[in-house]
Amino acid sequence: MAKVTVDGRAIEVPDGANALEACRAAGVDVPHFCYHPKLSVVGQCRMCMVEVEGMPKVQASCTVPIRDGMVIRASSERALAARNATMEFLLINHPLDCPICDQAGECKLQDNAFDAGLPVSRTSEHRRLVPGYERTEIGPHVVADMTRCIQCTRCIRFCQEITGTGELTFVERAGHTFVWTHEGKPLDNDLSACAADVCPVGALTVKEFRFRKRVWWLDKTRSVCDGCEVGCNLSIEFKDRIVYRFTPRVQPAVNDYWLCDYGRFLSERLNEPGTTRPIVTGPGGEKRETNWGEALDAVKAAVDRAISDDPSRVIVVGSARLSTEENWLLARLFRDSLKVKNVEFAVDEGPPRRMKRGNDWVYGTEAAPNSRGAEAAGVRRSVSGDGSRLDLLLSKKNSPPAVLYVADASLSDRVSDPAFVALLRAASVLIVHARVKNALSEAADVVLPAANQSGKEGTFVNRDGRVQRFDMAIVPPPVVRTDLEILLHLGKLWGAFDTAWTASDVFGRMKGSVSGYADLDWNSDDLVGNPPSASITSAYDVLGLERRPEDEVFTRPSVTAPDVKP
Amino acid sequence: MSGGANTPLGELPGNPRAGEHGARSCGHPVAFGAETKAAFDRLLTRYPTKQAALLPALWLAQKEFGWISREAVDYVASLLELSPAFVWGVVTFYTMYNRAPVGKHLIQVCTSISCHLNGAESVYAACRKKLGDLKPGETTPDGKYTVVEVECIAQCDKAPAVQVNEDDFFYVTEEKLDDFLKGLK
Amino acid sequence: MAGLDPIPPVLLARAGKPDSVKLAGYVADGGYVSWKKVLTGSVSGEWTPAKVTEIVKASGLRGRGGAGFPCGLKWTFVPPKERRGGKPVYLLCNADESEPGTFKDRVLIEQDPHQVLEGMMLSSFALDVKHAYVYIRGEMWKGAGILNEAVAEAEAAGLLGKNILGSGMDLDITVHRGGGAYICGEETALIESLEGKRGHPRIKPPFPAVWGAWGCPTVVNNVETLSCVKHIVDRGAEWFKGIGRNDRNTGPKLYCVSGHVEKPGVYEAPIGIPWEQLLAMAGGVKAGRKLKAVIPGGASAPMLTAAEVAGVPMDFDGLAAAKSMFGSAAIIVMDETTDMPKAVTNISKFFAHESCGQCTPCREGTPWLNKALKRIVNGGGKRTDLDLLLSIANQMGNGMTICVFADAAIAPVLSGVSKFRDEFEAYIAESPAADAVLPAPGGITAKVADRMAAGMHD
């Protein structure tokens, strides 16, 4: 560690930090653009200027490695004048696009312009133009507008250093410099939308989000991606029951600052029309909507009947998409209370997803987030030698199940295969929790409408055994229940559960018997991870230090933007 | 993706030096002939990394193919195991790699200070006018002449200085312009 | 002063001779004697790398590329072998001569390439270099061809290659052509360009001597500097020191004189001759006209009025004392017919074209200066423009940027606008927009701009 003084405050900073990070540690948020904790330092934007005692000229703080005893003046008149100068230079060519630019509200140029720069413009010259390079798609998910680019090279460095794909480059030089791809090689890699994340202005924006919502209207909730078992931390951003986008939350233990395109654009899945009312099937095969009471009674009746006949003909299928709490309730109810032996789950092998963590790629090969949690909760992982995992479960050819209880109707991609649906349909009574209508829910005898991932809270265990909590964003519509609630209400019919339990209550009850959960605290920050940050590109995580409210008054000499609470 | 035209400081599209910023296609894949490939292989032995051979390799490409097309970029990138975008970024940084075909005589008129003090701007304007009112960077319709403006070429004592392809020409005043152009076959 | 007495040509001794580029003639004139003596002496221990470095240090040789940094001292920044982690040392000869007004390196390369090569060889010996490169600007087709042939001749004669003359030393020299960029004359941008990238200067520290080409210790020296090394080893440090104005400005110097003079050209003289003597060598101002201004060190040097340049010793310290800089010794002479606003605008166009574009103040500031100046000389100037130009320029230099290109770009604007303000005002007086006013900038920046301006002209 080294002792450094910033604006008169003495602090200790880890060796290897730079002066910008040291200022951050001392509570001084020096404005910057090109610096990013996960990318190489280039010192190009010249925004983060400070004075360092012993160095005669102003310095770009991100380029100054700290030394023990260093004295930094981040808020002296000279430092402020230097930053004002850079801000003025950036604004002379930047278009006045704020009214039509997606980035407004989470734009570093806007934010930094509050801290630095002149309140008026001194230029009357024509602005730089880049005809042909405005609002053009440069990749399947990214729209580029080079009039807005401030040439910070974050996107270029992202593609070179993080994904290693190198699709972006500086083109031309001097005042004509801009960023583009090479003909025929668009910005197309599995993390491509992160290039728009790192862009501090609206030069690169996400196509799917374009013009949909002003970011200051968006409510944000901490969640975890349910696309694979890597378990990237993300923020569900929504307003009035519509999910507008996912953005990554910073989590060095899992996904750094990134989110893969596949996981990011699963957000639209949460807007799909769901199943709306419980459905039961009459004796003549006619399906009708009903209420929860009748539906759950029908389930109980069928299960009781089957168990009294032959419990081995009851098969319960959990899911790696359900939380550990939900899987645990499933196992407690059927296996422990009702003595049903066949409580299993199987998870599809997905196309391999990958995520950059530090300098390494980590891979997710399962198509669901919580196989380890399901297993730890007591639902047996069904594996078979020939790869058709679930079929083994169901291929008791001579006697199809009397009751097949499927706690997730989207348990596999194979539900779009009529043969697979037929296999499950062979059960005498088919009961499903369904988030959306699909072939399996259409075929089921009892359909219990379940909330999608935005309406639930619980924990997933990722590929590394890390337990991560996700929170509810949108209260499910009136008649839809979370899988947790469904199981509590069902279990109550047998006296096994209390419907007053919340997910956190279930968590507390299951801790003792689920491996990996013993020492965890539902309310701890560790479990849920970092808050969605107003600007995910800020240098929050590097030194693990928290923002202290009293620091805000320390250095702002001019108008301060209203603090946007995460 | 679409390449557009820009007008940097007075230069207009069609300028092989600073015209369209997207790489133009030459319509067919390209590859070094045997002799150039041998020269390229020799190049690689002079540097500790493949990437360091990029600028010389681009010179070989320009010599062999006449100009740096999109296909030339892809080819050189593949030879040196670099991303094509990176190579394109290098091509567009430097002024001398032509991104479009140039005329038989690439007339480069210096207009930096010492030549400026000797009337270079009027030589540049007059040269373009004489060749058919060429815009900066434009090529004559018969493909013989392209006229561009360049910065100091280190011939300040012989101002106004002009370079045509690889050759140096000195004292090219407005009065001497006709003779100069006549000498370019 | 004895050191300023005329001397027979040293660097240009062989220029103009028939076949001056050929090895045979070079050897006949005493070339490669030092190279051979140092190599054979290295075996007996009579010559060591440290000895060569000491001689160069003692000579007082200052870099001839523009910065004027003591050459021998720069060499000592290379870590000793035991602290290099096994990395090789590279020597790069900077032949990217692109500073407007400079053409001396071209003359050295085109007229006496072996002089340059021998300088490189001796320097490589001193620095433990096995691979040296000449980074020559792409526009110098002729020079590159001549150098390539000279290298081939040297290789054929066994003066380069493996185990040269049985000394155990290996050395090869590669000529590397640039693509056309002034900024690649900056040493770290040169290194970047050599590595096969866009020529973006690097953040310093680390300095190239410690972390340069491919992360290895690297020394970048100018063509003329390396040519001087050859003569210093030939004739000794004391001889070199005996030429020139004083201990801090030593040796023969090539002066490039261009612009409004009778005889523009390269002139060799002891470093530090007075301005009047140099002007006389170049035949005086063209057509006997009056001198108006001089740019003494290439376009990056602050302009001096006729009064300010009078009596100034033409060397590093002399011009620093006159509040300008010696730079590449590119003297651009402007007589009374010169339209100063147009000259300043022309130079601003150069810098706007040549900025590498990576850092904000330079990338945005150089075109802003150029656009404003063009507007003024095209008749659209405002009375507020001149102070605006000074203000823009004052917030571009002095540590605001990664390299000193910005400091170079602002020098002609600051000196031109302040010293020839009346000419600019004359343009503005004719402008229909003269009285247009933009809102005044808010408090802090105007105050601080003044303070920075005061710092610049201290």
Side-chain angles (χ1 to χ4, degrees):
Chain A
M1 300 287 273
K3 278 210 178 59
V4 172
T5 307
V6 178
D7 286 351
R9 164 175 285 155
I11 44 153
E12 288 216 344
V13 175
D15 292 327
N18 60 47
L20 179 64
E21 293 160 351
C23 290
R24 180 73 200 84
V28 179
D29 251 336
V30 176
H32 56 278
F33 295 106
C34 67
Y35 170 77
H36 190 287
K38 291 294 169 187
L39 302 175
S40 58
V41 170
V42 286
Q44 276 179 224
C45 71
R46 311 312 283 184
M47 193 66 213
C48 64
M49 310 304 282
V50 300
E51 282 193 278
V52 177
E53 205 170 273
M55 298 171 107
K57 302 185 183 176
V58 285
Q59 301 292 324
S61 50
C62 67
T63 65
V64 178
I66 51 112
R67 272 182 345 267
D68 195 37
M70 184 175 269
V71 176
I72 299 169
R73 276 187 281 277
S75 313
S76 65
E77 278 206 45
R78 227 171 124 213
L80 295 175
R83 291 190 222 132
N84 286 351
T86 299
M87 181 53 69
E88 178 176 37
F89 283 127
L90 286 172
L91 293 177
I92 58 172
N93 280 312
H94 194 79
L96 300 177
D97 274 3
C98 297
I100 57 166
C101 177
D102 278 341
Q103 201 82 6
E106 53 185 16
C107 172
K108 282 184 95 61
L109 190 62
Q110 282 185 339
D111 295 344
N112 291 337
F114 276 99
D115 288 341
L118 306 176
V120 292
S121 169
R122 297 194 294 170
T123 177
S124 55
E125 314 303 335
H126 291 296
R127 288 177 185 235
R128 175 184 66 117
L129 298 173
V130 255
Y133 295 89
E134 310 116 321
R135 49 183 187 279
T136 305
E137 290 177 27
I138 53 167
H141 300 295
V142 179
V143 176
D145 188 333
M146 281 299 122
T147 51
R148 301 171 180 173
C149 178
I150 57 168
Q151 292 89 23
C152 72
T153 66
R154 273 183 172 194
C155 58
I156 298 173
R157 284 176 283 138
F158 174 79
C159 292
Q160 277 174 358
E161 298 163 16
I162 304 296
T163 60
T165 46
E167 294 101 328
L168 296 175
T169 179
F170 257 165
V171 180
E172 302 295 337
R173 72 170 186 226
H176 309 297
T177 310
F178 64 97
V179 176
W180 211 250
T181 55
H182 178 59
E183 305 294 312
K185 276 215 73 189
L187 174 59
D188 191 1
N189 58 59
D190 39 7
L191 269 64
S192 73
C194 292
D197 282 346
V198 296
C199 178
V201 296
L204 295 183
T205 49
V206 175
K207 181 176 93 169
E208 284 82 349
F209 182 65
R210 193 171 167 79
F211 297 155
R212 289 181 68 187
K213 202 65 167 170
R214 280 306 197 183
V215 302
W216 50 82
W217 297 127
L218 291 173
D219 298 314
K220 301 176 206 226
T221 292
R222 294 184 252 205
S223 189
V224 176
C225 179
D226 66 346
C228 78
E229 80 274 30
V230 173
C232 299
N233 288 196
L234 55 78
S235 162
I236 300 179
E237 306 203 4
F238 62 99
K239 183 71 186 170
D240 296 335
R241 311 191 65 79
I242 299 175
V243 173
Y244 285 94
R245 63 174 184 177
F246 286 166
T247 53
R249 285 188 293 131
V250 178
Q251 182 50 270
V254 183
N255 58 303
D256 279 351
Y257 283 72
W258 323 123
L259 208 50
C260 78
D261 289 349
Y262 169 70
R264 181 190 298 258
F265 296 115
L266 287 179
S267 57
E268 279 318 300
R269 202 157 71 170
L270 300 178
N271 291 326
E272 283 169 22
T275 49
T276 48
R277 298 193 76 89
I279 291 176
V280 291
T281 304
E286 74 286 2
K287 299 200 203 281
R288 60 185 167 80
E289 291 184 343
T290 182
N291 57 48
W292 277 98
E294 192 187 337
L296 291 179
D297 284 341
V299 173
K300 180 166 189 296
V303 171
D304 279 340
R305 199 165 48 239
I307 287 178
S308 65
D309 257 357
D310 177 4
S312 72
R313 290 188 63 216
V314 175
I315 297 179
V316 175
V317 182
S319 172
R321 275 207 323 169
L322 264 51
S323 66
T324 308
E325 291 76 12
E326 287 154 349
N327 280 294
W328 185 79
L329 286 176
L330 201 67
R332 284 285 297 198
L333 174 61
F334 286 99
R335 190 194 57 198
D336 297 343
S337 294
L338 301 176
K339 310 294 183 214
V340 170
K341 282 218 170 63
N342 303 317
V343 180
E344 322 251 332
F345 81 96
V347 61
D348 276 355
E349 239 178 63
R353 310 285 174 199
R354 55 178 198 160
M355 175 47 56
K356 200 77 188 286
R357 183 188 303 167
N359 290 325
D360 306 310
W361 287 103
V362 297
Y363 293 88
T365 51
E366 296 177 349
N370 197 27
S371 70
R372 287 157 189 78
E375 215 174 349
V379 180
R380 204 178 320 131
R381 184 192 293 260
S382 189
V383 287
S384 92
D386 67 357
S388 57
R389 301 168 175 178
L390 201 48
D391 297 3
L392 178 74
L393 172 68
L394 300 161
S395 63
K396 297 184 178 170
K397 298 177 186 58
N398 298 331
S399 55
V403 167
L404 179 57
Y405 187 102
V406 179
D408 175 11
S410 307
L411 77 173
S412 165
D413 274 348
R414 295 164 69 215
V415 297
S416 53
D417 174 6
F420 182 72
V421 174
L423 180 65
L424 274 65
R425 184 59 275 193
S428 308
V429 180
L430 176 59
I431 303 160
V432 302
H433 295 203
R435 298 182 193 187
V436 293
K437 278 207 187 118
N438 64 20
L440 190 59
S441 72
E442 297 287 286
D445 296 306
V446 181
V447 179
L448 305 172
N452 69 29
Q453 181 64 19
S454 71
K456 311 166 58 162
E457 54 183 4
T459 57
F460 290 148
V461 182
N462 82 350
R463 67 188 286 289
D464 305 307
R466 184 186 169 82
V467 179
Q468 305 191 110
R469 188 187 98 206
F470 57 90
D471 291 344
M472 180 181 73
I474 300 173
V475 178
V479 185
V480 175
R481 301 254 186 273
T482 64
D483 299 286
L484 191 93
E485 287 169 330
I486 296 172
L487 291 166
L488 287 174
H489 282 266
L490 185 63
K492 180 158 184 201
L493 297 179
W494 280 289
F497 302 143
D498 183 339
T499 52
W501 296 347
T502 58
S504 126
D505 290 328
V506 176
F507 176 92
R509 275 161 206 281
M510 77 180 193
K511 270 173 68 164
S513 54
V514 176
S515 100
Y517 276 70
D519 298 321
L520 300 178
D521 172 6
W522 177 266
N523 292 308
S524 79
D525 287 335
D526 268 340
L527 196 70
V528 72
N530 287 311
S533 141
S535 160
I536 62 164
T537 50
S538 63
Y540 264 92
D541 69 314
V542 177
L543 299 166
L545 295 158
E546 288 160 30
R547 196 182 191 93
R548 295 176 290 190
E550 67 270 20
D551 298 336
E552 298 309 307
V553 302
F554 209 72
T555 57
R556 303 278 179 92
S558 55
V559 175
T560 304
D563 209 350
V564 179
K565 285 251 171 298
Chain B
M1 297 299 146
S2 67
N6 200 354
T7 49
L9 296 178
E11 289 158 330
L12 288 174
N15 183 339
R17 294 303 183 80
E20 295 193 3
H21 306 298
R24 247 180 254 200
S25 172
C26 67
H28 56 86
V30 296
F32 285 152
E35 212 181 295
T36 311
K37 187 71 175 41
F40 171 77
D41 291 332
R42 277 196 302 279
L43 255 187
L44 289 179
T45 64
R46 309 296 299 205
Y47 302 95
T49 67
K50 274 191 163 171
Q51 184 173 336
L54 179 54
L55 269 76
L58 287 170
W59 282 120
L60 287 177
Q62 181 149 294
K63 183 142 185 251
E64 176 108 333
F65 311 133
W67 55 289
I68 308 293
S69 61
R70 167 187 163 178
E71 290 78 8
V73 170
D74 291 337
Y75 177 64
V76 172
S78 69
L79 284 180
L80 295 170
E81 293 165 18
L82 299 167
S83 80
F86 181 89
V87 173
W88 184 239
V90 170
V91 169
T92 56
F93 179 84
Y94 299 98
T95 59
M96 296 188 75
Y97 295 121
N98 299 324
R99 313 171 219 161
V102 295
K104 182 163 173 230
H105 302 287
L106 178 62
I107 304 173
Q108 304 148 76
V109 182
C110 173
T111 53
S112 288
I113 184 65
S114 296
C115 290
H116 161 84
L117 292 170
N118 283 281
E121 266 104 354
S122 45
V123 172
Y124 181 48
C127 186
R128 285 186 289 120
K129 190 145 203 284
K130 282 184 197 287
L131 290 173
D133 277 323
L134 291 179
K135 299 197 196 65
E138 200 181 347
T139 305
T140 51
D142 61 7
K144 274 186 82 179
Y145 307 101
T146 307
V147 185
V148 295
E149 185 183 359
V150 293
E151 300 293 346
C152 183
I153 46 177
Q155 298 279 20
C156 321
D157 53 340
K158 305 184 178 68
V162 175
Q163 222 176 1
V164 180
N165 300 341
E166 306 179 9
D167 303 317
D168 301 310
F169 292 83
F170 312 132
Y171 311 114
V172 185
T173 57
E174 250 192 282
E175 295 73 43
K176 303 224 190 93
L177 205 46
D178 288 328
D179 285 334
F180 162 73
L181 288 173
K182 263 202 252 202
L184 298 178
K185 301 276 170 260
Chain C
M1 195 194 144
L4 294 179
D5 288 344
I7 46 163
V10 175
L11 296 163
L12 295 181
R14 303 189 60 251
K17 279 186 164 188
D19 291 330
S20 64
V21 303
K22 292 262 181 265
L23 176 65
Y26 183 72
V27 168
D29 289 336
Y32 288 125
V33 166
S34 281
W35 180 229
K36 291 170 188 165
K37 102 180 162 210
V38 161
L39 281 175
T40 43
S42 74
V43 177
S44 65
E46 191 202 333
W47 277 97
T48 61
K51 181 168 171 180
V52 175
T53 305
E54 275 313 305
I55 294 174
V56 171
K57 268 177 86 172
S59 73
L61 171 65
R62 290 171 73 164
R64 300 319 203 208
F69 194 86
C71 179
L73 182 61
K74 185 151 101 171
W75 288 4
T76 65
F77 295 157
V78 174
K81 197 164 185 147
E82 57 274 12
R83 285 200 280 120
R84 270 184 235 151
K87 290 185 186 174
V89 182
Y90 291 100
L91 174 70
L92 309 181
C93 169
N94 188 343
D96 190 63
E97 185 172 62
S98 308
E99 183 73 51
T102 320
F103 40 96
K104 58 183 176 68
D105 296 339
R106 167 195 291 278
V107 169
L108 287 171
I109 288 170
E110 289 184 0
Q111 303 278 349
D112 201 353
H114 284 284
Q115 178 177 236
V116 181
L117 293 182
E118 189 175 6
M120 287 181 73
M121 293 167 186
L122 293 163
S123 307
S124 298
F125 175 81
L127 294 164
D128 189 24
V129 166
K130 307 228 174 318
H131 301 280
Y133 297 84
V134 179
Y135 185 101
I136 184 168
R137 64 180 293 184
E139 295 88 341
M140 286 192 188
W141 296 89
K142 185 167 165 202
I146 287 172
L147 272 172
N148 271 316
E149 284 191 21
V151 168
E153 284 187 310
E155 283 174 348
L159 297 164
L160 287 171
K162 300 255 178 286
N163 192 15
I164 304 170
L165 303 180
S167 65
M169 169 152 181
D170 303 336
L171 178 63
D172 64 62
I173 296 179
T174 303
V175 177
H176 181 98
R177 289 182 57 228
Y182 161 85
I183 191 61
C184 290
E186 199 275 344
E187 63 175 357
T188 58
L190 189 151
I191 292 171
E192 288 283 296
S193 184
L194 175 68
E195 291 184 5
K197 308 177 200 164
R198 294 166 61 97
H200 291 176
R202 293 177 177 175
I203 299 163
K204 295 195 278 202
F207 289 87
V210 172
W211 203 90
W214 304 291
C216 303
T218 305
V219 171
V220 181
N221 279 138
N222 172 263
V223 170
E224 189 186 347
T225 310
L226 291 166
S227 305
C228 284
V229 168
K230 171 248 177 345
H231 291 284
I232 291 169
V233 179
D234 274 355
R235 304 198 230 182
E238 287 309 307
W239 159 82
F240 194 83
K241 252 174 85 168
I243 302 168
R245 186 167 67 99
N246 57 30
D247 279 350
R248 290 176 36 83
N249 298 274
T250 61
K253 185 75 187 75
L254 298 183
Y255 292 90
C256 314
V257 188
S258 66
H260 296 150
V261 287
E262 276 296 315
K263 298 189 293 175
V266 180
Y267 295 97
E268 184 172 4
I271 195 172
I273 54 165
W275 158 247
E276 287 75 10
Q277 185 179 332
L278 180 60
L279 182 60
M281 286 171 85
V285 179
K286 206 163 190 172
R289 295 198 279 260
K290 260 181 67 186
L291 180 68
K292 184 190 249 188
V294 178
I295 307 178
S300 313
M303 299 180 182
L304 296 174
T305 61
E308 288 170 334
V309 74
V312 171
M314 302 301 287
D315 60 29
F316 299 105
D317 294 343
L319 280 159
K323 304 246 196 322
S324 182
M325 60 181 249
F326 192 38
S328 53
I331 290 93
I332 302 164
V333 176
M334 293 182 268
D335 69 24
E336 57 190 324
T337 65
T338 308
D339 181 326
M340 292 312 291
K342 285 200 169 141
V344 172
T345 305
N346 174 274
I347 300 177
S348 74
K349 163 185 74 96
F350 170 81
F351 285 108
H353 278 172
E354 297 293 345
S355 167
C356 78
Q358 63 169 334
C359 63
T360 304
C362 176
R363 179 187 67 246
E364 304 293 344
T366 50
W368 191 5
L369 290 172
N370 180 250
K371 284 181 191 175
L373 284 163
K374 277 202 303 194
R375 184 169 46 77
I376 293 171
V377 300
N378 287 333
K382 307 189 193 93
R383 280 188 227 288
T384 50
D385 275 338
L386 299 182
D387 289 333
L388 177 66
L389 283 170
L390 294 175
S391 173
I392 298 168
N394 275 322
Q395 61 184 34
M396 280 169 64
N398 261 334
M400 284 298 294
T401 49
I402 292 175
C403 80
V404 293
F405 183 93
D407 302 75
I410 63 179
V413 174
L414 288 169
S415 56
V417 170
S418 43
K419 296 178 187 182
F420 297 96
R421 195 171 176 119
D422 53 336
E423 292 194 36
F424 286 88
E425 283 172 346
Y427 269 99
I428 293 171
E430 300 298 308
S431 158
D435 292 312
V437 171
L438 279 174
I444 234 178
T445 297
K447 225 193 316 181
V448 178
D450 289 344
R451 242 189 267 162
M452 285 174 86
M456 258 308 277
H457 291 296
D458 230 341

